[in-house]
Amino acid sequence: PDTKRWWRSFAEPHRAVVLDRGRRHDVVGTLAEGPLREAARDAYAARYPRAAPLIEDAALVVFERTG
């Protein structure tokens, strides 16, 4: 997190557009803290187990679709 600071925009819920497989989705992103961070970290680690050590101290942003 020392060099990448884009996640600071999501300290408060913030609208964004995510591109997934060529499709745009309107989302709201939130900087994950507390139990939300734990759940996000666990979900990411389950999907990408080899990358799990890389996110231990990382800022995590959770995106939810709005439309």
Side-chain angles (χ1 to χ4, degrees):
D2 292 336
T3 58
K4 295 182 180 180
R5 296 192 169 102
W6 61 269
W7 53 267
R8 290 183 182 184
S9 297
F10 298 97
E12 296 292 326
H14 190 78
R15 291 175 161 227
V17 176
V18 171
L19 185 63
D20 178 33
R21 297 179 192 154
R23 299 179 69 187
R24 294 178 170 269
H25 302 280
D26 293 325
V27 298
V28 171
T30 305
L31 182 62
E33 298 179 298
L36 179 60
R37 187 185 187 290
E38 298 295 320
R41 187 195 64 218
D42 291 348
Y44 189 89
R47 175 66 176 93
Y48 305 103
R50 292 174 51 190
L54 302 175
I55 62 168
E56 282 304 314
D57 297 326
L60 301 179
V61 175
V62 174
F63 294 99
E64 296 184 56
R65 288 188 189 181
T66 60

